[in-house]
Amino acid sequence: MRETPRAEPPQPRPHRADAHTTGASRSGTPHRSDGRPPHTPRGARQPDPLGRPGTTPPVPGRPALFSAFVALAVVTWQVLVHGPLTRLDERVSAAVVDSVPRRLSELASDLGNLTVALPVLAAAMAYAVWRGRRADALYAGLAMAAVPLLVIPLKEWTARSGPLEPWAEGYYPSGHTATAMVAYFGAAYLVSRRLVPVAAVLTAVTGTGLVLRGYHWPLDVLASGFLGFLVLGVGGIAAVSSSCRRRSSG
């Protein structure tokens, strides 16, 4: 009876072992074609100027910005033609105005005053400059400067009257809401991402106070949210792009 030949044990292949056990310089680290170690810490990754997942800092991508632009355009169109959204907006406002004490709603809406929001952003910009982030501080300041440049023409174009002042015009969109959003979110971006929830709460409180007090219609506040998102998104992309250029040139 013929004996079945035994298979020979696999022979080591030094050239393959080198590829997985040592790097290009034989330092003992795995070889990577991109020149960075495996499991690169998230903070060491280069940011993507378009704000895709994994960027540092995270900024809205183009689809999100486009969606915000479309939403702003739809709301503006409804205001101009006094469409169904505007009529619903008026019914909601009539139901909630003065549903809380005026003193409380006034305090909330005051968070969007320039005298309140601007010093917060200015302090955050000074902190960023002190930490060597001059470009980030500059873009945050430009974002705030863009608010009146965008809000005032929209107010003049739509000429919407106010909930409690039907004889007056220029209520759409809400300048206070846009100011609060850009100032508080910009300050959070410059100081610490942990402050983003605080910025969201301050912005929401501002818009709610404006509606409850009767200073603005709900759509005025909603439109300013979309507008503020666009301003912050464009400013964030510009800041990240500037940071990428500085790193590549350095």
Side-chain angles (χ1 to χ4, degrees):
M1 185 173 178
R2 195 168 49 179
E3 187 177 358
T4 303
R6 299 175 63 183
E8 294 293 331
Q11 299 297 320
R13 299 181 181 181
H15 62 283
R16 290 198 175 184
D18 288 345
H20 292 278
T21 59
T22 60
S25 61
R26 300 188 181 274
S27 60
T29 57
H31 175 71
R32 293 293 295 266
S33 60
D34 58 3
R36 63 179 172 87
H39 312 302
T40 303
R42 184 176 297 273
R45 297 178 188 175
Q46 293 295 324
D48 187 330
L50 296 182
R52 299 189 180 97
T55 61
T56 304
V59 295
R62 289 177 179 174
L65 293 176
F66 178 74
S67 299
F69 176 79
V70 171
L72 176 62
V74 169
V75 174
T76 304
W77 166 64
Q78 285 290 289
V79 169
L80 287 171
V81 300
H82 199 262
L85 280 181
T86 307
R87 294 193 290 272
L88 175 62
D89 184 45
E90 293 171 352
R91 290 196 296 270
V92 171
S93 178
V96 301
V97 168
D98 284 340
S99 58
V100 300
R102 285 195 171 188
R103 180 58 180 164
L104 186 61
S105 58
E106 287 175 357
L107 287 174
S109 60
D110 285 346
L111 291 173
N113 287 344
L114 282 175
T115 54
V116 177
L118 196 56
V120 174
L121 179 61
M125 291 171 62
Y127 173 79
V129 171
W130 177 66
R131 294 296 299 269
R133 297 170 57 196
R134 294 180 178 84
D136 291 344
L138 173 63
Y139 284 114
L142 290 176
M144 178 55 72
V147 170
L149 296 179
L150 296 172
V151 169
I152 292 175
L154 279 173
K155 284 180 177 291
E156 294 180 352
W157 181 33
T158 56
R160 193 183 193 189
S161 59
L164 301 180
E165 297 180 346
W167 59 88
E169 295 179 346
Y171 280 80
Y172 177 92
S174 166
H176 280 68
T177 304
T179 297
M181 186 171 184
V182 173
Y184 297 135
F185 275 94
Y189 165 75
L190 294 174
V191 176
S192 172
R193 307 300 185 276
R194 297 178 180 178
L195 295 175
V196 168
V198 178
V201 169
L202 292 175
T203 303
V205 168
T206 303
T208 303
L210 291 167
V211 172
L212 295 179
R213 179 61 180 82
Y215 288 147
H216 278 286
W217 306 98
L219 281 184
D220 300 348
V221 172
L222 181 63
S224 287
F226 295 137
L227 182 63
F229 184 83
L230 286 170
V231 171
L232 289 168
V234 172
I237 290 175
V240 171
S241 300
S242 176
S243 176
C244 288
R245 289 193 298 269
R246 291 198 306 271
R247 291 184 183 183
S248 61
S249 63

